[in-house]
Amino acid sequence: MVSGRQAVAGRSVPIEDHGVIGDLRTVALVGNEGTLDWMCYPYFDSPSVFAALLDPDKGGHWRIHPLHDGVFRKQFYWPDTNVLVTRFYTPDGVGELIDFMPMERRGEKEGEVREVLRRVRVVRGELPFEMECLPAFNYARDTHTTHLISGGAAFESKMLQMTLSSSVKLERVERGVTARFVLKENESAIFSLREGRRLSCEDLVHSHESAEVLFRDTVDYWRHWLSNCQYTGRWRETVQRSALALKLMTFSPTGAIVAAPTCSLPESPGGTRNWDYRFCWLRDAAFTVYAFLRIGFKKEAAAFMRWVEARCAESGDGPLPLMFSLDGRRVPDEVELTHLCGYGGARPVRIGNAAADQLQMDIYGELMDSVYLSNKYAAPISFDFWRHLRRLVDWVCEHWMDEDEGIWEVRGGRRHFVYSKLMCWVAVDRAIRLADKRSFPADRPRWLAVRDTIFEDIMSKGWSEKRGSFIQAYGKDTLDAANLLMPLVFFLSPVDPRMLSTLDHMRQPPSKGGLTSDGLVFRYDVEATLDGIAGSEGTFNLCSFWLVEAMTRANSARPDLLEEARLTFERMLGYANHVGLYAEQTGMSGEALGNFPQALTHLSLISSAYNLDRTLGRKD
């Protein structure tokens, strides 16, 4: 498929014009014109090596493209893999750039071998190419030296050294290296970037044959992993692409799952809502576990449970942090990078995340739900893990009535968010179910009493007779798309009159007090919510898929909603980019907004596809 927007000189490649490659430690974003313009190394949350996505001039990039006018481009994934292919069509021939990160290799002397491999070849005719590698270490804050060495070049900064091996001759330029070369039919040039500095890298230069072996091994890895997918429904290819995207966002050494592998991509064009998502949110990861379990990936769920158990054991008697670095440590303080111009001029550019210090009561519900499902479908939890969880549930019983910043991480002050109360109910409910399922010791009388009290509290204070719907926060008659989860977590029946009325209100356009625009859902009314952050935002892809699932589940009382759910789902599929990936939000022109790719979007796609397909099957 072809992306309709092309990069303009001096401007960032549009978010939606990227594919993503990775090795379960980090990822790289590759634009459809051959530019690798985002990569942090060695891990997702490490400083960047290439960040042209956030500043085309200063950020650093690695571009491979044909020196030809009027190039027509296509970009796609090698079937059932995360190996990315960018194809260039010209009157003189056809070129093909294959980008990937080989998986799980060990060298005799180097230990674990990690590299970004880029192979460009001509499949028809003859084409001239240019390769340009201009790193900018530590978000373009650190200077580096470039050394031409036998077989390539070495880049050295105070924090990181990297070696570029090349099968063609390189020329040193101001900030890196460049090369111009001509390839005839069936000829290829191969470039590989690794950590470390060498005096010579001739032994690292790949031949066409050695690159082909790594390509085949990487293809086999992804296809073997994907063969565990148990979804065989109507949207099989779409669900599998989302599963592959989610897998790319797992951190193999620990089992943690990042919310997204990028930072500071704006939620509105040129806006200030720019955040760093390269950390493990308990909420996002717990939802991801649900999606993995739904389609058969039990190992990923079990790995995350081990990671969560370690975090719970470290938490002591206080509340659990809502997000962590990938190794379980505290998330870095939020810092503004004033020297970067930002994607499309969206400033400030932020790294780190101040929301790590917020109180978000909903995380306990998402956590306990994922533990309950993992215990049921993957592997039983240990008693020691239960002891930590029991302590957290007791803490929830003490604090569920506290105000918090909520799922959307508002910066306008704490409130009694209905969704936070809902997920406190889920936390206690799942704890009761798990204790009964496993006959674990627990303070059942207290837990039952608290669960019922939360339920009554939500039904009396979280429901607005005036609006005829559940509201965002106690005393605040605005809508919140997070309340679409009420039937999904079995708080209410999907056909409960209050839930159906809430659905009807949310499906109205914003001009009529609703949250939906042509089937796409805003998470809340930004102006009415006073979230403490300037600017507007696009529709929230996660919420659009939540709407699909809520309508699907309500079809027994309202058959018309099933057809609308299917149309809404298909409409959402039309907003995926050319390789099936989604950012956090969709703009008014259909452009991708927010960090990319977004785990919440892809996991909610999987869940809604699963339940919609199952419901349609029953109707058939």
Side-chain angles (χ1 to χ4, degrees):
M1 300 178 67
V2 185
S3 177
R5 300 177 177 87
Q6 299 295 334
V8 178
R11 299 184 186 176
S12 303
V13 178
I15 296 169
E16 63 271 21
D17 282 357
H18 289 86
V20 184
I21 60 174
D23 63 356
L24 310 186
R25 271 100 169 148
T26 192
V27 302
L29 272 62
V30 181
N32 68 346
E33 33 54 277
T35 301
L36 192 160
D37 58 11
W38 178 258
M39 187 179 77
C40 298
Y41 199 89
Y43 305 128
F44 295 105
D45 55 357
S46 300
S48 67
V49 175
F50 302 108
L53 192 60
L54 297 179
D55 192 315
D57 297 323
K58 300 177 184 176
H61 66 263
W62 184 7
R63 180 180 297 124
I64 300 176
H65 65 113
L67 293 170
H68 205 292
D69 294 331
V71 179
F72 182 73
R73 302 172 176 89
K74 289 184 178 181
Q75 193 176 59
F76 54 92
Y77 279 110
W78 200 264
D80 300 335
T81 76
N82 281 315
V83 174
L84 191 65
V85 182
T86 307
R87 193 168 284 169
F88 309 102
Y89 299 86
T90 77
D92 297 327
V94 178
E96 188 172 81
L97 173 64
I98 297 179
D99 289 311
F100 62 97
M101 295 187 190
M103 306 297 295
E104 298 182 1
R105 298 163 52 223
R106 299 194 67 82
E108 293 182 5
K109 299 180 180 179
E110 300 171 280
E112 184 182 44
V113 177
R114 297 178 59 205
E115 63 184 317
V116 182
L117 199 149
R118 313 193 75 187
R119 180 177 68 172
V120 60
R121 69 189 185 101
V122 169
V123 295
R124 291 181 181 177
E126 179 177 305
L127 287 177
F129 286 90
E130 180 182 57
M131 189 284 302
E132 187 177 54
C133 185
L134 308 178
F137 294 95
N138 191 20
Y139 311 104
R141 292 183 295 187
D142 292 352
T143 59
H144 67 273
T145 57
T146 301
H147 306 277
L148 290 180
I149 59 177
S150 179
F155 309 109
E156 184 172 5
S157 73
K158 65 180 181 181
M159 293 178 60
L160 184 66
Q161 295 81 43
M162 303 199 81
T163 297
L164 174 69
S165 66
S166 170
S167 61
V168 299
K169 185 178 180 180
L170 303 179
E171 178 182 346
R172 182 178 171 181
V173 292
E174 182 180 354
R175 292 165 50 198
V177 294
T178 187
R180 291 194 173 189
F181 53 95
V182 176
L183 297 177
K184 298 179 180 180
E185 190 167 321
N186 294 323
E187 291 182 341
S188 63
I190 299 153
F191 306 90
S192 170
L193 188 65
R194 300 189 186 195
E195 185 175 0
R197 183 181 183 275
R198 288 168 167 252
L199 298 178
S200 169
C201 63
E202 286 187 340
D203 59 321
L204 303 182
V205 177
H206 288 290
S207 66
H208 178 82
E209 291 74 20
S210 66
E212 180 69 15
V213 169
L214 289 178
F215 166 75
R216 292 297 172 189
D217 287 347
T218 307
V219 166
D220 289 346
Y221 174 91
W222 288 113
R223 287 181 172 172
H224 176 75
W225 180 83
L226 192 61
S227 67
N228 293 301
C229 182
Q230 296 176 0
Y231 178 85
T232 57
R234 290 166 174 80
W235 298 284
R236 180 172 176 267
E237 186 174 341
T238 298
V239 167
Q240 289 186 344
R241 176 50 53 197
S242 286
L244 285 163
L246 289 177
K247 180 63 173 176
L248 273 180
M249 288 181 268
T250 61
F251 186 60
S252 180
T254 67
I257 304 169
V258 296
T262 57
C263 69
S264 228
L265 295 181
E267 297 174 4
S268 62
T272 61
R273 295 169 177 255
N274 318 316
W275 316 110
D276 191 346
Y277 280 9
R278 298 170 301 147
F279 310 112
C280 184
W281 269 254
L282 285 179
R283 173 193 311 114
D284 301 44
F287 280 141
T288 304
V289 167
Y290 170 82
F292 274 142
L293 287 173
R294 182 60 83 185
I295 55 177
F297 293 104
K298 297 180 180 180
K299 289 183 179 180
E300 285 68 25
F304 178 68
M305 284 298 110
R306 290 191 295 270
W307 185 86
V308 166
E309 181 175 1
R311 305 292 80 75
C312 291
E314 296 164 356
S315 65
D317 295 328
L320 196 63
L322 62 100
M323 70 176 87
F324 298 86
S325 293
L326 300 176
D327 58 4
R329 290 184 292 182
R330 187 185 184 278
V331 168
D333 292 339
E334 192 170 292
V335 175
E336 295 183 1
L337 302 180
T338 57
H339 65 290
L340 297 179
C341 70
Y343 173 86
R347 303 179 75 178
V349 174
R350 296 183 177 97
I351 58 173
N353 202 307
D357 295 323
Q358 290 185 349
L359 176 65
Q360 296 177 19
M361 295 297 297
D362 65 286
I363 65 172
Y364 301 98
E366 289 118 3
L367 172 61
M368 287 305 303
D369 193 47
S370 68
V371 172
Y372 175 78
L373 293 171
S374 183
N375 179 83
K376 184 176 181 179
Y377 295 110
I381 67 168
S382 67
F383 175 68
D384 287 334
F385 191 8
W386 171 251
R387 288 172 53 242
H388 301 311
L389 295 171
R390 182 176 60 184
R391 175 177 47 77
L392 290 175
V393 175
D394 286 336
W395 187 89
V396 171
C397 289
E398 289 285 343
H399 295 275
W400 69 267
M401 70 294 292
D402 294 350
E403 293 182 323
D404 73 339
E405 279 89 359
I407 180 176
W408 306 129
E409 301 180 350
V410 300
R411 300 194 177 192
R414 294 181 178 180
R415 297 167 212 168
H416 289 291
F417 287 104
V418 172
Y419 179 78
S420 296
K421 310 299 184 190
L422 168 69
M423 297 311 288
C424 286
W425 178 90
V426 171
V428 181
D429 177 76
R430 298 308 190 267
I432 293 170
R433 294 182 187 219
L434 187 53
D436 290 345
K437 179 78 173 177
R438 295 289 306 279
S439 299
F440 281 140
D443 191 350
R444 286 173 175 80
R446 184 194 186 198
W447 289 4
L448 285 166
V450 170
R451 184 186 67 176
D452 293 348
T453 300
I454 299 174
F455 190 97
E456 296 280 7
D457 200 62
I458 293 173
M459 298 304 283
S460 64
K461 299 177 184 177
W463 169 260
S464 170
E465 290 289 349
K466 178 182 177 181
R467 289 296 302 264
S469 67
F470 288 101
I471 53 178
Q472 183 179 58
Y474 291 177
K476 192 78 174 176
D477 277 3
T478 55
L479 299 180
D480 192 323
N483 291 334
L484 289 167
L485 255 68
M486 286 183 170
L488 279 60
V489 297
F490 307 113
F491 176 80
L492 277 184
S493 163
V495 297
D496 186 287
R498 293 194 187 195
M499 199 63 234
L500 291 175
S501 179
T502 300
L503 261 180
D504 287 340
H505 280 80
M506 286 196 185
R507 288 163 54 230
Q508 294 295 315
S511 61
K512 295 183 178 180
L515 295 177
T516 303
S517 172
D518 191 35
L520 278 66
V521 181
F522 293 94
R523 54 181 173 172
Y524 52 76
D525 183 333
V526 171
E527 293 183 3
T529 298
L530 300 176
D531 59 13
I533 310 164
S536 61
E537 60 183 27
T539 53
F540 216 79
N541 296 327
L542 165 70
C543 300
S544 299
F545 287 119
W546 278 350
L547 178 63
V548 170
E549 195 155 355
M551 290 192 296
T552 298
R553 292 172 185 257
N555 82 93
S556 60
R558 294 270 300 278
D560 60 302
L561 290 178
L562 183 60
E563 181 63 19
E564 185 177 341
R566 182 168 188 173
L567 290 174
T568 301
F569 183 79
E570 295 284 1
R571 187 178 289 119
M572 275 301 298
L573 297 188
Y575 286 99
N577 81 341
H578 58 292
V579 289
L581 300 177
Y582 291 87
E584 182 179 40
Q585 301 182 20
T586 299
M588 298 308 294
S589 300
E591 75 275 25
L593 294 173
N595 286 306
F596 172 90
Q598 180 81 2
L600 284 175
T601 302
H602 286 281
L603 66 89
S604 60
L605 182 156
I606 290 172
S607 180
S608 59
Y610 180 93
N611 286 291
L612 180 58
D613 182 71
R614 183 174 61 176
T615 304
L616 290 170
R618 289 171 182 165
K619 293 294 183 181
D620 293 342

